[in-house]
Every structure is written in C-alpha cells, then in structure tokens.
Amino acid sequence: MKSLSDTLLKRKTIRKYSAKKVDDDLLNDLLARGCRASTTGNMQVYSIIITRDDAKKRELAPFHFNQKMITEAPVVLTFCADFNRFSKWCLENKAEPGYDNFLSFFTAAIDALLVAQTVCIAAESEGLGICYLGTTTYTADKITESLKLPKGVVPVTTVTLGWPAEDPEQPDRLPLEAIIHKEVYHDYSEQDLKKYYSQKEEREDSRNFIKENNKETLAQVFTDVRYRKSDNVHFSGVLIKVLTDQGFMNQ
Ligand SMILES: Cc1cc2nc3c(=O)[nH]c(=O)nc-3n(C[C@H](O)[C@H](O)[C@H](O)COP(=O)(O)O)c2cc1C
C-alpha cells in the first residue's frame, strides 16, 4: 500500500485496465473505507451501484458516449444521491420527510461525491486505477432508467476501476497560488491569468490540442469543442427534468 502522500501527489487518471480481476473482498474493503467519508448529519444519503456484468456494461456504454473504460474496466461504480432509503425509514417511524427539494438533492449529491472520492483514494492507494465519467450527469435520464433508480435517487457520477494497463504522464495543475485566496477572494487581473495559465498553455500537449482542433487558443478548445454552451444548456435541461421526475424539485 502506498503512503497517503504518494497516493495523493502522484495520482493520475487511468483509462486502460488489465484483464486482472478486482477481487470482491478487495472491492468491499474499498467501499467500506469509502463509506467512512463525512456525510451530512450521518444520514448517508447516497447509494452505490456496482456493475460487473458485461451485458450491463454494454447497455450503459452509449450513456457514457461509448467511452471504452465502461466496457473495459472490470468494475463500474455509479454513485447516486439517494433520499429514497432515508425518507422511507422516516415514514416507517412516524416522521415526515421533507426532502423533495433542490437543497436535499444538493446535500445528497455532496454526500455521494465525498464517498466516491474516498473510494477512489482507497483504490489508488492499493495501486488500482480509476477514471471518473462526467457523462453520468449528461444522460442521467437514461442511467436512471437502466439502473432502475426509484424516485428520490439520482445518479451523480460514475467511476471505472481496475488494475492499470498504462502509465500515462501526470497531467499539469495550476500553481497553488492560482487557487488559494487568503482570507477573502482576490479577483484575477489579466496579468494574473496570464501568469497562472501560461504553463498550461505552453505545454506540448496543449499546443497539439489547439492544432488538432484548428483553434487559436487553448481556451477555445474548451469553449468551442470540449464544453460548449449549447451542450451545457441541453444537458442542463435533461438534468433538471431528471431532478423533477425523481421528486427533488417540489420546492
Ligand atoms: C467529475 C469528473 C468527470 C470526469 N469525466 C471524465 C470522462 O467522462 N472521461 C474521461 O476520460 N475522464 C473524465 N474525468 C477525468 C479528468 O479528465 C481528469 O481527472 C483530468 O483530466 C485530470 O487528470 P488526472 O486525474 O490524471 O490528474 C473526469 C473527472 C471528473 C472529476
């Protein structure tokens, strides 16, 4: 097992996995460690769906835009915001649940993300590789149907997990000073932005990215190709409908 510091500082996303099985006992152990994460009021308003079955992975693949990790990883975990279980327990115990609102969704989503990230750290500390799939929030309607999620449950993120079959270069990060604000927020001047983003912009992979996409700047690769407004608006609509259908938008 790696030291915690190495686990955190040397980690990188892994998108290629070997055929080696992830043992059930190990997976359960990782999930148990993940579930020690902080959770709002100790309510544990999340659920984790484990997908190991190849047919189910193939069914999920298009909802993740056919990213190959879904079918190639031995384990796929879908982390869900879940007020279903807790609300049912309230009703069984003469208590009236008041969780059919957006705040409660957000609370449960925070819980789900905290448990997801803790499972990821536990997995990475054992030498496993992980990849988050943000596609879960884009196609939450399809994933909700496929995983038979009842009212009160919304998929928040997906993680693919397996033994690494690649050793990619570690991606860059912004310098810490770009992220940290002392006491109050200090807004960014043009000069600050130049300073903080120049390292990223000058990387060879960034330059290639700009060229491949026929763009002038790295920022344009994000705004015009990877995370476009039209997609964001469309998928926001899908997500708001899921939240409505799953009973989180009553107030
Ligand atoms: C919420 C979230 C969604 C992500 N979605 C995807 C995804 O759909 N496909 C993918 O290949 N990587 C995905 N990633 C991984 C990021 O691309 C990756 O973390 C980032 O490029 C930094 O690389 P690193 O994790 O190796 O440091 C996602 C990460 C997060 C946190």
Side-chain angles (χ1 to χ4, degrees), residues 22-36 48 50 52 75 77 119 122 128 161:
V22 174
D23 191 74
D24 268 334
D25 288 345
L26 174 60
L27 180 60
N28 275 340
D29 189 42
L30 300 176
L31 294 169
R33 288 189 227 165
C35 289
R36 293 312 312 182
I48 307 165
I50 303 172
R52 279 190 179 274
V75 176
L77 300 173
V119 169
L128 283 152
L161 184 87

Side-chain angles (χ1 to χ4, degrees), residues 57-122:
K57 288 183 201 162
R58 283 196 298 274
E59 183 184 314
L60 288 172
F63 312 145
H64 293 286
F65 304 166
N66 294 310
Q67 297 188 78
K68 60 184 180 4
M69 298 79 89
I70 270 284
T71 44
E72 291 178 7
V75 176
V76 175
L77 300 173
T78 307
F79 293 86
C80 303
D82 182 356
F83 254 112
N84 172 53
R85 179 179 61 245
F86 189 79
S87 296
K88 282 190 164 152
W89 175 70
C90 291
L91 289 169
E92 293 288 328
N93 288 279
K94 304 177 197 157
E96 188 55 43
Y99 309 117
D100 54 350
N101 41 63
F102 183 71
L103 182 77
S104 299
F105 164 71
F106 207 76
T107 298
I110 291 170
D111 265 25
L113 290 171
L114 291 176
V115 77
Q117 181 56 19
T118 310
V119 169
C120 288
I121 294 168

Side-chain angles (χ1 to χ4, degrees), residues 38 52 56 88 133 153 162 169 200 203 211:
S38 297
R52 279 190 179 274
K56 198 68 188 170
K88 282 190 164 152
L133 299 182
V153 186
E169 228 182 276
K200 189 187 275 296
R203 284 170 62 95
K211 219 165 156 191

Side-chain angles (χ1 to χ4, degrees), residues 213-229:
N213 288 291
N214 268 329
K215 294 290 159 195
E216 202 182 319
T217 68
L218 183 62
Q220 287 174 346
V221 178
F222 286 89
T223 59
D224 302 358
V225 182
R226 298 191 67 193
Y227 301 98
R228 292 183 303 187
K229 175 162 180 162

Side-chain angles (χ1 to χ4, degrees), residues 11-13 15 67 69 131-135 157 171 173:
R11 69 153 303 280
K12 50 203 176 187
T13 290
R15 298 180 174 86
Q67 297 188 78
M69 298 79 89
C131 183
Y132 276 94
L133 299 182
T135 31
T157 198
R173 287 293 193 267

